[in-house]
Amino acid sequence: MIEDYTKTPSLCRRGVWVGRRVDFSETVLMSFEHGQDDLSVGWIVNGAAISPAGYYAPCQGAPTIRYRCPGDGRNLHTISLMSTPGSDQDCVDLQVVFTRPPQWNPLEYGPSKKVCLQGRIVEWPWFLLQQEQQCWERFRNVFEKYVVVPRPVPAPPGPVERWIASLRGDEAATVRAELDTVEQLDHARDGDFLAEIRADLAARFLRWANSEDGPGAVDRSPPRSDPGRDSS
């Protein structure tokens, strides 16, 4: 696996990286626990009601993810999701629906959840990842020193680290240049210049924080990469 970061630069990755791609299939079993209530439970996947099936069928809108219901082979309140080996990360929106006796009507809605699966990761050399981590820590410290960040700052990887890791292309080059610049400015002499850069950095961070890829994405689906690996 070759990744040329001279063509697709990120904030803390430069040059050409050589790694090892690992393909796999990831499976998640979801269950709607409803105690002793006698409910008839079903599932909506990406807005489409699914029919019970003893085999894995492709999900509407996310063909690299397949579902089976009942997920445990017995109970309709369970659903199993499986990724296709070699696939990029994709996500599905799950919605529980159910009816109650004796009329079994009307249809009621239960909890919902976004689930993301992937079918490959890339293992990179440890020393490159160590350099990247040191770079993240440096820029995180600079950002938190010069730009207002909500307190208390969560333990790494917090939103600043995740924002830094997400930067690509011109956005990464611009943010890196601004962070390098604020370190060198004199607060007394360059106060107005510093204020403009701080405002721009804050605006860029807030745009990301309010996007669908912002901090809430971690809550919707937990990270699945191990140390020394990342998603391709």
Side-chain angles (χ1 to χ4, degrees):
M1 175 78 184
I2 306 295
E3 189 71 40
D4 187 352
Y5 288 104
T6 64
K7 297 178 180 178
T8 56
S10 71
L11 191 71
C12 291
R13 293 189 179 188
R14 293 185 169 186
V16 178
W17 283 35
V18 179
R20 172 175 171 263
R21 175 174 146 170
V22 180
D23 293 349
F24 58 92
S25 182
E26 191 171 35
T27 304
V28 172
L29 178 66
M30 307 294 293
S31 176
F32 172 51
E33 300 298 329
H34 49 86
Q36 300 301 315
D37 293 340
D38 184 16
L39 304 179
S40 177
V41 179
W43 297 86
I44 294 176
V45 180
N46 281 349
I50 63 170
S51 300
Y55 58 91
Y56 281 95
C59 294
Q60 175 176 290
T64 62
I65 298 178
R66 293 170 290 157
Y67 75 88
R68 185 182 71 178
C69 182
D72 63 359
R74 301 183 306 277
N75 300 296
L76 289 174
H77 66 260
T78 66
I79 186 171
S80 178
L81 301 173
M82 177 185 290
S83 65
T84 301
S87 62
D88 293 329
Q89 186 184 78
D90 205 352
C91 303
V92 295
D93 292 310
L94 295 182
Q95 173 70 62
V96 174
V97 292
F98 58 89
T99 56
R100 302 177 187 270
Q103 291 84 9
W104 304 107
N105 194 45
L107 187 68
E108 298 182 46
Y109 288 85
S112 61
K113 185 173 181 62
K114 188 183 189 74
V115 179
C116 298
L117 300 175
Q118 62 192 47
R120 65 174 177 171
I121 56 174
V122 178
E123 294 180 340
W124 300 110
W126 66 268
F127 60 90
L128 291 176
L129 293 173
Q130 185 180 64
Q131 292 171 9
E132 180 184 42
Q133 185 63 39
Q134 292 170 347
C135 172
W136 286 355
E137 291 175 1
R138 177 205 163 200
F139 283 124
R140 185 200 71 216
N141 291 334
V142 173
F143 184 84
E144 292 178 353
K145 179 179 179 181
Y146 292 104
V147 181
V148 176
V149 175
R151 294 294 190 266
V153 175
V160 174
E161 285 94 337
R162 297 200 294 273
W163 172 59
I164 286 173
S166 73
L167 295 172
R168 293 290 185 276
D170 292 342
E171 183 81 354
T174 299
V175 170
R176 185 183 184 100
E178 290 187 334
L179 290 171
D180 284 336
T181 300
V182 296
E183 279 192 296
Q184 305 301 321
L185 293 178
D186 182 278
H187 288 209
R189 183 186 60 201
D190 304 314
D192 291 343
F193 190 13
L194 179 60
E196 289 184 12
I197 296 179
R198 290 176 60 185
D200 185 66
L201 286 169
R204 292 174 186 273
F205 174 74
L206 289 174
R207 278 198 299 272
W208 169 83
N210 292 322
S211 72
E212 63 178 17
D213 297 321
V218 175
D219 298 328
R220 293 191 291 269
S221 182
R224 306 185 186 279
S225 298
D226 299 322
R229 301 178 173 185
D230 62 19
S231 304
S232 58

